[in-house]
mmCIF file of all heavy atoms in Angstrom:
data_model
loop_
_atom_site.group_PDB
_atom_site.id
_atom_site.type_symbol
_atom_site.label_atom_id
_atom_site.label_comp_id
_atom_site.label_asym_id
_atom_site.label_seq_id
_atom_site.Cartn_x
_atom_site.Cartn_y
_atom_site.Cartn_z
ATOM 1 N N ASP A 6 99.620 95.148 55.623
ATOM 2 C CA ASP A 6 100.158 94.342 56.757
ATOM 3 C C ASP A 6 100.321 95.110 57.890
ATOM 4 O O ASP A 6 100.018 94.703 59.058
ATOM 5 C CB ASP A 6 101.301 93.498 56.345
ATOM 6 C CG ASP A 6 101.199 92.425 55.273
ATOM 7 O OD1 ASP A 6 100.020 91.940 55.089
ATOM 8 O OD2 ASP A 6 102.142 92.118 54.538
ATOM 9 N N LYS A 42 92.186 108.533 108.830
ATOM 10 C CA LYS A 42 93.216 109.543 108.309
ATOM 11 C C LYS A 42 92.696 110.842 108.549
ATOM 12 O O LYS A 42 93.317 111.738 109.049
ATOM 13 C CB LYS A 42 93.498 109.237 106.879
ATOM 14 C CG LYS A 42 94.701 109.992 106.281
ATOM 15 C CD LYS A 42 94.115 111.278 105.643
ATOM 16 C CE LYS A 42 93.320 111.005 104.317
ATOM 17 N NZ LYS A 42 92.916 112.311 103.662
ATOM 18 N N TYR A 90 86.506 112.428 90.372
ATOM 19 C CA TYR A 90 87.957 112.598 90.392
ATOM 20 C C TYR A 90 88.750 111.519 89.761
ATOM 21 O O TYR A 90 89.571 111.862 88.750
ATOM 22 C CB TYR A 90 88.420 112.842 91.806
ATOM 23 C CG TYR A 90 89.940 112.801 92.127
ATOM 24 C CD1 TYR A 90 90.681 113.755 91.618
ATOM 25 C CD2 TYR A 90 90.533 111.834 92.889
ATOM 26 C CE1 TYR A 90 92.145 113.780 91.762
ATOM 27 C CE2 TYR A 90 91.866 111.777 93.131
ATOM 28 C CZ TYR A 90 92.638 112.882 92.515
ATOM 29 O OH TYR A 90 94.055 112.665 92.773
ATOM 30 N N PHE A 102 99.007 109.697 78.061
ATOM 31 C CA PHE A 102 100.222 108.751 77.924
ATOM 32 C C PHE A 102 100.349 108.153 76.590
ATOM 33 O O PHE A 102 101.550 107.965 76.120
ATOM 34 C CB PHE A 102 99.986 107.754 79.109
ATOM 35 C CG PHE A 102 101.128 106.806 79.329
ATOM 36 C CD1 PHE A 102 102.270 107.070 80.292
ATOM 37 C CD2 PHE A 102 101.236 105.644 78.570
ATOM 38 C CE1 PHE A 102 103.259 106.131 80.504
ATOM 39 C CE2 PHE A 102 102.345 104.779 78.744
ATOM 40 C CZ PHE A 102 103.330 105.002 79.655
ATOM 41 N N ILE A 132 87.199 118.997 89.264
ATOM 42 C CA ILE A 132 85.759 118.358 88.963
ATOM 43 C C ILE A 132 85.318 117.554 90.166
ATOM 44 O O ILE A 132 84.168 117.538 90.601
ATOM 45 C CB ILE A 132 85.846 117.350 87.868
ATOM 46 C CG1 ILE A 132 86.181 118.139 86.510
ATOM 47 C CG2 ILE A 132 84.641 116.606 87.704
ATOM 48 C CD1 ILE A 132 86.375 117.376 85.351
ATOM 49 N N ALA A 145 84.382 114.076 109.314
ATOM 50 C CA ALA A 145 84.624 114.848 110.495
ATOM 51 C C ALA A 145 83.419 114.807 111.553
ATOM 52 O O ALA A 145 83.724 115.236 112.608
ATOM 53 C CB ALA A 145 85.141 116.146 110.101
ATOM 54 N N PRO A 150 80.372 117.246 119.175
ATOM 55 C CA PRO A 150 79.246 116.941 119.999
ATOM 56 C C PRO A 150 77.934 116.848 119.251
ATOM 57 O O PRO A 150 77.901 117.462 118.188
ATOM 58 C CB PRO A 150 79.208 118.172 120.980
ATOM 59 C CG PRO A 150 80.710 118.730 120.907
ATOM 60 C CD PRO A 150 81.060 118.473 119.501
ATOM 61 N N VAL A 160 75.847 111.756 100.523
ATOM 62 C CA VAL A 160 76.579 112.856 99.748
ATOM 63 C C VAL A 160 75.695 113.815 99.076
ATOM 64 O O VAL A 160 75.959 114.864 98.908
ATOM 65 C CB VAL A 160 77.597 112.131 98.830
ATOM 66 C CG1 VAL A 160 76.823 111.327 97.730
ATOM 67 C CG2 VAL A 160 78.452 113.167 98.262
ATOM 68 N N THR A 175 80.552 127.473 97.735
ATOM 69 C CA THR A 175 81.145 126.655 98.818
ATOM 70 C C THR A 175 81.533 125.296 98.408
ATOM 71 O O THR A 175 82.496 124.663 98.864
ATOM 72 C CB THR A 175 80.139 126.563 100.020
ATOM 73 O OG1 THR A 175 79.748 127.915 100.378
ATOM 74 C CG2 THR A 175 80.839 125.981 101.273
ATOM 75 N N LEU A 176 80.891 124.657 97.398
ATOM 76 C CA LEU A 176 81.254 123.383 96.995
ATOM 77 C C LEU A 176 82.665 123.353 96.294
ATOM 78 O O LEU A 176 83.280 122.323 96.182
ATOM 79 C CB LEU A 176 80.275 122.880 95.834
ATOM 80 C CG LEU A 176 78.711 122.723 96.394
ATOM 81 C CD1 LEU A 176 77.860 122.330 95.145
ATOM 82 C CD2 LEU A 176 78.706 121.683 97.458
ATOM 83 N N ALA A 185 96.306 121.471 94.480
ATOM 84 C CA ALA A 185 97.672 121.445 94.844
ATOM 85 C C ALA A 185 98.059 119.976 95.280
ATOM 86 O O ALA A 185 99.029 119.466 94.972
ATOM 87 C CB ALA A 185 98.059 122.535 95.862
ATOM 88 N N ASN A 191 99.364 112.969 92.095
ATOM 89 C CA ASN A 191 99.462 112.357 90.825
ATOM 90 C C ASN A 191 100.814 112.393 90.182
ATOM 91 O O ASN A 191 101.112 111.405 89.422
ATOM 92 C CB ASN A 191 98.276 113.096 89.852
ATOM 93 C CG ASN A 191 96.884 112.539 90.250
ATOM 94 O OD1 ASN A 191 96.463 111.646 89.721
ATOM 95 N ND2 ASN A 191 96.241 113.473 91.135
ATOM 96 N N THR A 229 104.304 108.390 97.175
ATOM 97 C CA THR A 229 103.143 109.335 97.114
ATOM 98 C C THR A 229 102.867 109.788 98.647
ATOM 99 O O THR A 229 102.591 110.988 98.817
ATOM 100 C CB THR A 229 101.864 108.657 96.556
ATOM 101 O OG1 THR A 229 102.241 108.297 95.161
ATOM 102 C CG2 THR A 229 100.785 109.720 96.421
ATOM 103 N N PHE A 243 91.346 122.769 105.673
ATOM 104 C CA PHE A 243 90.734 123.932 104.958
ATOM 105 C C PHE A 243 89.271 123.503 104.472
ATOM 106 O O PHE A 243 88.366 124.355 104.728
ATOM 107 C CB PHE A 243 91.463 124.209 103.619
ATOM 108 C CG PHE A 243 91.185 125.593 103.057
ATOM 109 C CD1 PHE A 243 92.264 126.542 103.314
ATOM 110 C CD2 PHE A 243 90.120 125.944 102.404
ATOM 111 C CE1 PHE A 243 92.095 127.783 102.860
ATOM 112 C CE2 PHE A 243 89.940 127.230 101.984
ATOM 113 C CZ PHE A 243 90.819 128.080 102.110
ATOM 114 N N PHE A 258 85.865 127.166 116.183
ATOM 115 C CA PHE A 258 86.801 127.636 115.270
ATOM 116 C C PHE A 258 87.279 129.073 115.545
ATOM 117 O O PHE A 258 87.861 129.676 114.687
ATOM 118 C CB PHE A 258 86.200 127.616 113.939
ATOM 119 C CG PHE A 258 85.820 126.202 113.466
ATOM 120 C CD1 PHE A 258 84.563 125.630 113.655
ATOM 121 C CD2 PHE A 258 86.828 125.323 112.932
ATOM 122 C CE1 PHE A 258 84.245 124.307 113.172
ATOM 123 C CE2 PHE A 258 86.516 124.115 112.578
ATOM 124 C CZ PHE A 258 85.212 123.579 112.661
ATOM 125 N N THR A 266 91.840 133.303 101.091
ATOM 126 C CA THR A 266 92.679 133.496 99.882
ATOM 127 C C THR A 266 92.912 132.194 99.153
ATOM 128 O O THR A 266 93.328 132.144 98.105
ATOM 129 C CB THR A 266 93.895 134.116 100.205
ATOM 130 O OG1 THR A 266 94.739 133.299 101.168
ATOM 131 C CG2 THR A 266 93.838 135.511 100.948
ATOM 132 N N ARG A 280 103.142 126.046 113.496
ATOM 133 C CA ARG A 280 103.410 126.875 114.761
ATOM 134 C C ARG A 280 102.733 126.326 115.889
ATOM 135 O O ARG A 280 103.413 126.303 117.009
ATOM 136 C CB ARG A 280 102.906 128.363 114.436
ATOM 137 C CG ARG A 280 103.238 129.355 115.534
ATOM 138 C CD ARG A 280 102.801 130.764 115.060
ATOM 139 N NE ARG A 280 101.545 130.835 114.733
ATOM 140 C CZ ARG A 280 101.037 131.646 113.925
ATOM 141 N NH1 ARG A 280 101.806 132.487 113.202
ATOM 142 N NH2 ARG A 280 99.748 131.695 113.653
ATOM 143 N N GLY A 299 98.211 103.073 100.192
ATOM 144 C CA GLY A 299 98.981 101.991 99.676
ATOM 145 C C GLY A 299 97.986 100.923 99.134
ATOM 146 O O GLY A 299 98.079 100.724 97.855
#
Side-chain angles (χ1 to χ4, degrees):
D6 290 339
K42 184 268 294 183
Y90 166 63
F102 185 92
I132 294 174
V160 64
T175 304
L176 295 177
N191 285 275
T229 306
F243 203 105
F258 296 99
T266 60
R280 187 171 58 211

